[in-house]
Amino acid sequence: MQHTDCALIMGANPAENHPISFRWLTKAKENGGKIVSVDPRFTRTSAQADIYAPLRSGTDIAFLGGMINYALQNNLIHKEYVAKYTNASFIVKEGYDFKDGLFTGYDETKRAYDKTKWALEATEDGKPVKDETLENPRTVFQLMKKHYSRYDVDKVISVTGTPKEDYLKVCEAFCSTGKTGKSGTILYAMGTTQHTVGTQNVRCYAILQLLLGNIGIPGGGINAMRGESNVQGSTDFGLLYDNLTGYLGAPKATVPEHATLKGFLDKETPKTGYWSNKPKFVVSLLKAWYGENATKDNEFGYQFLPKGNKNYSHINLFNAMYQGHLDGAFLFGTNPVVGGPNSGKEKEALSKLKWLVAIDLWETETSSFWQKEAGSNPANINTEVFLLPASASYEKEGSVSNSSRWMQYRWKAIDSRGEARPDLDVIHELALRMKKLYADSTKSADKPIQALDWSYGTGETPDIDLIAKEINGYDLKTGKLLAGFGSLLDDGTTSSGNWIYSGFYPAEGKNLSKRRDNKDTGNANYLNWSYAWPMNRRILYNRASADPSGQPWSKEKAVIWWDAIQKKWVGNDVPDFKAVTAPTEPDGTGPFIMNKDGVGLLFAPTLNDGPFPEHYEPFESPVPNVFSSQQMNPTTVIIQGDFNKKGEKKDFPIVATNYRVSEHWQSGSMTRNQEWLSELAGHMFVEMSEELAQEKGIKNKDMVIVSSARGEIKAYAMVTKRFKPFTIQGKKVHQIGMPWHFGFKGFATGDTANRLTPHIGDANTTIPEYKAFLCNVRRA
Ligand SMILES: Nc1nc2c(c(=O)[nH]1)N[C@H]1C(S)=C(S)[C@@H](COP(=O)(O)OP(=O)(O)OC[C@H]3O[C@@H](n4cnc5c(=O)[nH]c(N)nc54)[C@H](O)[C@@H]3O)O[C@H]1N2
Ligand SMILES: Nc1nc2c(c(=O)[nH]1)N[C@H]1C(S)=C(S)[C@@H](COP(=O)(O)OP(=O)(O)OC[C@H]3O[C@@H](n4cnc5c(=O)[nH]c(N)nc54)[C@H](O)[C@@H]3O)O[C@H]1N2
Ligand SMILES: [Mo]
C-alpha cells in the first residue's frame, strides 16, 4: 500500500477499523499518493483523505459502473494490459444479450439464470477465439463498453446522490493510475459486501483494476480488509459450508456427477490453468483426513464426506432453526443475538433448539438469550444451555493468517484462568469421545467418524505440531514432509490437510510461520517474515507487473522479470508463475494462472447474477431503480414469512446503515466487558444530519426511537454534519447510521441495532444485507 499513487477506500473505514494498515496509507501520502474516501458519511478515514465523496448506501455499482464508463470513454485504460492479460479480446457467443436489467437465460420461477447462455466462442481444441484489436462488436470489450455506456455521470449521481464535482474528482484521481508507471489500489470491507449485490460490488473493483492495469504490481491490487484476526485463516481452512480446505469446493447431493469421486473431479476440474491439478489436492486432503482408511478401492474415503443439498449459511441456518429443523447447536465464539441480522427473530429461533453449547470467554447475550434480561420468559423456553469457558488468544498457541495471507505463529503468553480451555482442546476431546462412542457401531451413518484419522496424541491436549505437519503434508512412501504442493499426487501416496499451505513446514523443525526476520529483502518485501501462501508469494499474479516480453512495465514498480541469461523469472518476490516459462512460450504471457485461460475476467460467466455487474436497488429502497424495471437483484433468494418482514417507503422513508467504532469490537463481548473501553464509548447512539434532526424536532443527545419493519430500538441522537441529506432523482432522501456493538450484557449496555436489519442475503454468498435498509426515527 505504501507504493500506491492513489488509494480508493470504499465500503471500509480503515482509520477506525484497520488502523495498523492505515499506517501504510499515511506513508503513501507522504510519498505523494492520494487518498480517496467514498462513504455515506464523513468518517475518520474521510478526515485523512484528499478527496471525499458521499453516496447513498446500496448504490456502489452505479458509482463504480460510472467510473468504468469514465475510464473507457476518456481512454484512460492500460490498453496493452487489457488486450493481453484480460478476456477483453474474447468473443461472446451469439445469443448472449442484456435487456432491461436482465441477462439472457433468466428463469423467473427459479429466480436463476441458465449460465450456459453466457458462453464464449472456442476453437475445436478449446482455445478462446480472440480479436486483439478489440473492435469486433461481440468482443467482451465492446459488450462491456456498451453495458456501461448507460452509466453516464448525470444518471449515476441521480442514483447515488453524490455531488457532481466530487464524483468527477474521484473519477479523475483514480483513473489517472491507468498510466504506465502508476498504480492505484482499492480497499474494501463490509460497506461493500453486506448487500444483496455484495459480490457484484467486488466484481466492479476487479473490472476497474484490470482496465487500469493495476493488478499484480506494488501499490495496486484489491485489498479485502479482513475482519476477525483469523478470518482469512478460517476461509482458507474451509470453515464456510460450501468449501473444503484450500477453496476446493464441496460435493453436493444436488449435482448428480458428485455421487462419485471421479464424477466430482471430472466435473469440477478445468482442463487448463493451475486448477487442472485439483485431483491431487482433493485426494491428498482425503488422505490427511482418513489416513489408512482412504484407499483407491473406497474412492479415498470420498463417500465419508457429507453431501449437502441446501444452502447452510448463517441466514439459512437460523431460518431452519426457527422452523424447528435443528435439535442442537454448538456456538464457538459467536454472539448472534447481537451480531445476527433481524436478531430479535434469531433470538426466538434459539428457543426452538433442544440444546445449545456456547463456548466463549463471557456469558453473552446469546448464551443468556433465555433470561428475563433478554426479554424472554424462562418458563417458556426448553432449550438446555451449556456454557464452556474458552481461553483467549493470549492463552494459547497457534497460527493466524492476516489480510495479506501471512500465516503467523503466536506463542502462548499466559496460562488460562479457571477452567477455561482452548477451542482446539474442546474439539480434540469431543472427537476422541465420539470415536469411542461409535467404535462398535455397525450403522453406515457412523462410518465417517470411525474412519476419521485422529492421531494428534491421546491426552487432553492435542499435539499442535502434528496438526501443523499434517496441513503441510507428507510423502507417505518415505514419511518425509513435502516441500510444497508441486509434490502432491492423486494416487494416494501423498497427504496434505490444505494444499495452499503445503510448503510452510518443509522439513522437521522448520515451521516457516514462526519466522521473525524483519529485514527488507528488496522493494519493501520481507520474505523471511512469516509465510504467505501460496509458496511465500507476497503479490498474487505478479507476472502482470511485467509486459508480455517479460520486462517490468516501469522500473519503479518492478516486481519480477525474465532474465534471459539465467533463463528464469527473477526479482523481489517469489514469481507467481512457472519460474522457467519464457515469455515467448505459448503460455508465457498468461499471468492469471488460476483462471483457465490465464487472463483476468472482465466478463465472468460464473456468478449467479450475471457476467457484468448491474445496479439494482437494495431489498428495501426509497426509490425506483432508474436503470431498469428490475427493482432488486433478480437472483437474490427471498425468505418469505414472518422472519423477514419488508418495510415500505411510506412507513420507513429513511435509509439506514450501521458500522463499527474503534473503541468496540463486534458484538461487544470483548469490549463492553472492559471498563475503560466501556467508558470511552458507553452508549448506543444514532447519527443523523442537522436537516433531518430539525425536520423531526430532535436535538443532539435526545433519546430517539429508530424503527424498521422488524422492530424498534432506543438510542441517543448524535446530530452531526457527517451526514448530509442526498438529492436522489431530484428529491431529498435522508440517511442515518448507527453502531451495531450494543446489547444488554457487560458494563456498557444499549439496544441492539440488528433488531432492525433484514434477513436477506447476497445472491452468491448469502452475506446479510446489513448495510442498507429502510427505517424511521422519532423522539422517545
Ligand atoms: N475497532 C474495530 N475494528 C474492527 C472491528 C470492530 O468491531 N471494531 N471488526 C472487524 C471485522 S470482523 C470486520 S469484518 C472489519 C469491517 O471493517 P469495515 O468494513 O471498515 O467496517 P464498517 O464500519 O462496518 O463499515 C465500513 C464503512 O462502510 C460504510 N457504508 C455503509 N453502507 C455503505 C454502502 O452502501 N456503500 C459504501 N461504499 N459504504 C457503506 C459505513 O459508513 C462504514 O464507514 O473490521 C474489523 N475491525
Ligand atoms: N448490523 C451489522 N451486523 C453485523 C456486521 C455489521 O457490519 N453490521 N458485521 C458482521 C461481521 S463482519 C461479523 S465478523 C460478525 C461477527 O459476529 P460474531 O462473531 O457473532 O461477533 P463477535 O463479537 O466477534 O463474537 C465473538 C465471540 O467470541 C468470543 N471469543 C473471543 N475469543 C474467543 C476464543 O478464542 N474462543 C472462543 N470460543 N470464543 C472467543 C467473544 O467473547 C465473543 O462473544 O457480525 C456481523 N454482524
Ligand atoms: Mo467480519
Side-chain angles (χ1 to χ4, degrees), residues 437-673:
L437 192 64
Y438 290 100
D440 302 323
S441 169
T442 51
K443 282 194 203 153
S444 64
D446 301 335
K447 287 254 151 55
I449 294 172
Q450 292 171 341
L452 190 62
D453 184 26
W454 198 272
S455 11
Y456 315 112
T458 51
E460 287 191 353
T461 303
D463 182 339
I464 201 167
D465 207 42
L466 283 176
I467 299 170
K469 290 179 192 169
E470 178 181 289
I471 291 166
N472 179 83
Y474 294 100
D475 176 337
L476 296 170
K477 285 199 286 217
T478 61
K480 288 223 165 78
L481 289 159
L482 292 175
F485 50 73
S487 315
L488 294 173
L489 295 169
D490 62 1
D491 61 1
T493 59
T494 59
S495 69
S496 168
N498 192 348
W499 76 276
I500 57 177
Y501 282 95
S502 183
F504 93 90
Y505 203 137
E508 201 56 54
K510 207 172 165 199
N511 180 343
L512 301 181
S513 74
K514 292 184 176 176
R515 286 194 293 199
R516 285 293 183 277
D517 178 351
N518 63 356
K519 200 172 109 256
D520 182 352
T521 48
N523 210 14
N525 282 288
Y526 299 84
L527 298 181
N528 297 318
W529 179 277
S530 77
Y531 179 87
W533 69 261
M535 293 316 283
N536 205 27
R537 280 161 196 141
R538 304 296 159 127
I539 297 184
L540 286 180
Y541 300 133
N542 52 26
R543 164 69 180 87
S545 67
D547 65 16
S549 81
Q551 291 316 299
W553 292 109
S554 83
K555 276 226 173 60
E556 302 78 55
K557 311 252 163 167
V559 186
I560 59 163
W561 50 91
W562 177 252
D563 184 322
I565 296 160
Q566 296 187 61
K567 292 209 175 351
K568 63 174 191 183
W569 289 89
V570 297
N572 299 319
D573 195 1
V574 179
D576 192 6
F577 202 66
K578 221 176 188 170
V580 295
T581 305
T584 46
E585 286 181 47
D587 52 352
T589 53
F592 294 90
I593 57 164
M594 298 312 285
N595 288 339
K596 120 178 156 0
D597 301 303
V599 293
L601 306 186
L602 295 169
F603 181 87
T606 48
L607 295 177
N608 292 339
D609 27 24
F612 291 127
E614 169 68 6
H615 170 76
Y616 305 105
E617 289 290 328
F619 175 60
E620 291 183 345
S621 155
V623 291
N625 184 3
V626 297
F627 280 94
S628 73
S629 55
Q630 292 298 319
Q631 176 65 10
M632 68 172 287
N633 187 340
T635 53
T636 301
V637 178
I638 299 172
I639 294 177
Q640 309 284 358
D642 65 348
F643 212 134
N644 195 34
K645 289 189 192 135
K646 182 174 179 178
E648 299 299 335
K649 180 191 164 186
K650 66 176 173 30
D651 310 312
F652 305 104
I654 301 169
V655 177
T657 196
N658 46 69
Y659 34 78
R660 293 155 167 82
V661 298
S662 272
E663 296 78 1
H664 283 299
W665 186 259
Q666 306 277 82
S667 74
S669 319
M670 300 294 285
T671 47
R672 287 186 290 102
N673 281 302

Side-chain angles (χ1 to χ4, degrees), residues 239-540:
L239 258 71
L240 294 174
Y241 75 94
D242 57 348
N243 251 323
L244 299 173
T245 66
Y247 308 96
L248 291 172
K252 293 192 186 107
T254 45
V255 183
E257 290 90 339
H258 289 185
T260 63
L261 175 64
K262 184 175 180 307
F264 175 71
L265 293 177
D266 284 351
K267 176 140 179 51
E268 305 302 333
T269 308
K271 294 218 163 40
T272 53
Y274 204 79
W275 274 124
S276 59
N277 293 302
K278 191 182 272 185
K280 301 172 188 169
F281 311 148
V282 173
V283 171
S284 297
L285 173 64
L286 291 167
K287 283 302 290 180
W289 283 355
Y290 302 114
E292 310 239 290
N293 299 321
T295 65
K296 220 173 205 147
D297 295 337
N298 73 356
E299 304 172 86
F300 298 108
Y302 177 74
Q303 301 302 349
F304 299 139
L305 295 177
K307 291 167 195 69
N309 57 10
K310 291 198 176 74
N311 177 316
Y312 301 97
S313 62
H314 181 101
I315 283 186
N316 294 287
L317 277 181
F318 273 88
N319 201 37
M321 199 186 284
Y322 189 70
Q323 290 167 3
H325 298 325
L326 300 177
D327 281 346
F330 275 78
L331 303 184
F332 277 91
T334 179
N335 186 10
V337 171
V338 175
N342 196 0
S343 59
K345 279 279 180 229
E346 291 205 347
K347 188 191 76 177
E348 270 181 58
L350 292 170
S351 68
K352 310 277 169 85
L353 295 171
K354 294 197 180 103
W355 52 267
L356 171 66
V357 184
I359 299 133
D360 208 292
L361 311 189
W362 317 93
E363 184 183 50
T364 66
E365 286 81 358
T366 299
S367 53
S368 56
F369 81 92
W370 50 276
Q371 295 173 3
K372 279 213 180 101
E373 246 183 314
S376 301
N377 179 358
N380 293 341
I381 294 175
N382 294 318
T383 317
E384 186 174 12
V385 179
F386 302 86
L387 178 55
L388 305 186
S391 305
S393 56
Y394 324 101
E395 297 168 340
K396 56 196 177 194
E397 65 175 331
S399 67
V400 292
S401 296
N402 71 9
S403 299
S404 306
R405 311 177 317 284
W406 299 3
M407 188 196 213
Q408 305 189 75
Y409 211 80
R410 304 201 295 203
W411 287 264
K412 185 170 99 169
I414 51 170
D415 287 331
S416 302
R417 288 188 175 199
E419 295 183 302
R421 307 266 306 268
D423 297 275
L424 189 57
D425 286 23
V426 177
I427 295 184
H428 179 64
E429 250 197 272
L430 205 55
L432 289 179
R433 291 204 199 179
M434 279 171 71
K435 281 188 78 70
K436 211 164 151 192
L437 192 64
Y438 290 100
D440 302 323
S441 169
T442 51
K443 282 194 203 153
S444 64
D446 301 335
K447 287 254 151 55
I449 294 172
Q450 292 171 341
L452 190 62
D453 184 26
W454 198 272
S455 11
Y456 315 112
T458 51
E460 287 191 353
T461 303
D463 182 339
I464 201 167
D465 207 42
L466 283 176
I467 299 170
K469 290 179 192 169
E470 178 181 289
I471 291 166
N472 179 83
Y474 294 100
D475 176 337
L476 296 170
K477 285 199 286 217
T478 61
K480 288 223 165 78
L481 289 159
L482 292 175
F485 50 73
S487 315
L488 294 173
L489 295 169
D490 62 1
D491 61 1
T493 59
T494 59
S495 69
S496 168
N498 192 348
W499 76 276
I500 57 177
Y501 282 95
S502 183
F504 93 90
Y505 203 137
E508 201 56 54
K510 207 172 165 199
N511 180 343
L512 301 181
S513 74
K514 292 184 176 176
R515 286 194 293 199
R516 285 293 183 277
D517 178 351
N518 63 356
K519 200 172 109 256
D520 182 352
T521 48
N523 210 14
N525 282 288
Y526 299 84
L527 298 181
N528 297 318
W529 179 277
S530 77
Y531 179 87
W533 69 261
M535 293 316 283
N536 205 27
R537 280 161 196 141
R538 304 296 159 127
I539 297 184
L540 286 180

Side-chain angles (χ1 to χ4, degrees), residues 40-42 52 654-655 659 686-701 704 716-727 732-738 777:
R41 74 195 159 113
F42 191 83
Y52 165 69
I654 301 169
V655 177
Y659 34 78
V686 50
E687 286 184 83
M688 63 183 73
S689 68
E690 291 169 343
E691 292 83 348
L692 177 62
Q694 193 166 20
E695 278 178 28
K696 298 278 181 184
I698 294 167
K699 286 196 294 301
N700 199 29
K701 297 186 193 170
V704 298
Y716 287 103
M718 185 187 279
V719 179
T720 168
K721 292 186 199 309
R722 289 190 287 269
F723 269 110
K724 293 261 191 284
F726 292 107
T727 304
K732 192 196 278 182
V733 171
H734 287 294
Q735 176 162 353
I736 62 166
M738 61 207 120
V777 282

